[in-house]
Amino acid sequence: MVLTLTGTGGGPNLARPPAALLGSAIGCFLPTNIFNTPNSSARMPADRIDRSSSATTLNKLAFVGLRAPLFQYHNITRGWACHALIKLGLRPHADFRALINPRGPGGLGQLGLILVSMSLGSAIKQSIYALVCQRNNVPAFAVSLFNLAMNSINVILAFYSPNGPELSPLQWTGVALYGIGITGELVSELQREAFKRKPENKGKLYTGGLFSILRNINYTFYTLWRTGFALAAGSPSGALFNFLLFGYDFAARGVPVLEQWMEGKYGEQWRQYKNRTRWALVPGLI
């Protein structure tokens, strides 16, 4: 069933970082042991990646095969999520011409085409990462399901935000953030992988390219494109939620766990890199 409804609207070792760590918006939620050293007695958050394992072909294929870029196309044109919410009494606020246009490419409006393209772009980026850069087994099903859910939420936000047939300047800003973020994340990973594939670099820590700017710049770029995705959907509140969600998770879990492991593996190389490249995620903040 195709949706045919009419819309209603035309650095240093920081044992106790300051509250401004990620800005005043989330600083008060950050634990005081974010950057405890490996010798700290504080309990470290769990790592979601088995870094002692080597990625198997089956795990890589699962990670790629579970991508679902066409799901969001049908979610828009057939209105799967939207119909379910309408039955719960939640009426959309968007002008449906923003998402659905029989004369547009694939029956999509301008915003619909952009959201489907963003979903496809993230699937391509993650597939390239899995096939070229992935070195450890990851929970492929959980990661794929999470990405499917996040992309679906953005489609729902698009239907339930006051979007018009043309994108607003704020939405175009979201498109730009998405493009910068997803390109930067992929480029940073490919730069590191090119370094690691050279036999003379075995056992060496990669500190060049984009990683010379921030120690975990791939996390920064990921947060950027996720925030931009929601902003392009027409939801500033959704964009803020994405920023807080991923910013907090990386600051409170991802970075401390990874950097503890990195220091254990690379020792003095890591400590020298940390002294040279002061910031982990955001210049001047964290």
Side-chain angles (χ1 to χ4, degrees):
M1 179 178 181
V2 178
L3 191 65
T4 57
L5 294 172
T6 301
T8 58
N13 184 24
L14 301 178
R16 300 194 64 178
L21 210 52
L22 277 178
S24 58
I26 60 173
C28 58
F29 295 106
L30 293 173
T32 57
N33 63 336
I34 282 181
F35 282 108
N36 279 334
T37 63
N39 294 325
S40 170
S41 60
R43 183 179 179 182
M44 186 63 64
D47 196 348
R48 295 171 185 166
I49 298 176
D50 181 6
R51 302 186 189 277
S52 63
S53 67
S54 297
T56 64
T57 301
L58 180 61
N59 185 258
K60 289 185 177 183
L61 292 177
F63 194 68
V64 173
L66 290 172
R67 304 294 103 189
L70 291 179
F71 180 90
Q72 302 309 331
Y73 171 77
H74 294 296
N75 197 14
I76 292 173
T77 58
R78 298 180 183 274
W80 290 340
C82 191
H83 278 306
L85 292 172
I86 288 173
K87 290 180 179 179
L88 296 175
L90 300 174
R91 302 295 299 180
H93 299 294
D95 184 329
F96 280 88
R97 292 173 297 174
L99 293 141
I100 303 169
N101 182 356
R103 297 181 180 180
L108 295 168
Q110 185 184 54
L111 178 56
L113 181 61
I114 285 175
L115 294 180
V116 170
S117 299
M118 286 181 166
S119 179
L120 179 61
S122 66
I124 292 173
K125 185 272 300 180
Q126 288 163 335
S127 296
I128 293 174
Y129 170 80
L131 296 174
V132 178
C133 306
Q134 183 182 336
R135 290 176 172 262
N136 305 110
N137 284 326
V138 298
F141 180 78
V143 171
S144 300
L145 187 62
F146 175 79
N147 280 280
L148 179 64
M150 294 301 296
N151 292 346
S152 298
I153 289 172
N154 285 326
V155 169
I156 293 171
L157 290 174
F159 276 111
Y160 285 84
S161 299
N163 293 314
E166 302 292 332
L167 265 68
S168 68
L170 193 60
Q171 287 176 287
W172 281 116
T173 300
V175 173
L177 290 176
Y178 172 91
I180 294 170
I182 206 158
T183 302
E185 184 190 3
L186 181 58
V187 168
S188 68
E189 295 286 5
L190 291 175
Q191 286 178 331
R192 181 167 57 184
E193 182 61 23
F195 174 86
K196 288 181 174 291
R197 290 196 175 198
K198 295 180 180 180
E200 62 269 27
N201 292 330
K202 184 176 181 180
K204 294 181 181 179
L205 174 66
Y206 178 63
T207 62
L210 292 172
F211 283 96
S212 66
I213 303 171
L214 295 169
R215 299 195 303 273
N216 299 276
I217 198 167
N218 52 334
Y219 290 172
T220 302
F221 280 129
Y222 182 89
T223 303
L224 193 65
W225 74 257
R226 273 293 174 200
T227 300
F229 201 148
L231 191 61
S235 177
S237 59
L240 178 61
F241 173 79
N242 275 267
F243 174 77
L244 296 178
L245 173 66
F246 294 109
Y248 178 80
D249 181 61
F250 287 139
R253 183 199 58 81
V255 169
V257 168
L258 176 60
E259 296 209 342
Q260 181 187 50
W261 183 85
M262 294 289 281
E263 181 158 357
K265 180 177 181 179
Y266 292 106
E268 185 58 28
Q269 289 186 66
W270 173 257
R271 288 186 286 273
Q272 291 179 6
Y273 172 51
K274 195 172 181 180
N275 287 333
R276 291 195 310 272
T277 307
R278 182 179 180 184
W279 306 108
L281 290 171
V282 182
L285 290 177
I286 178 173

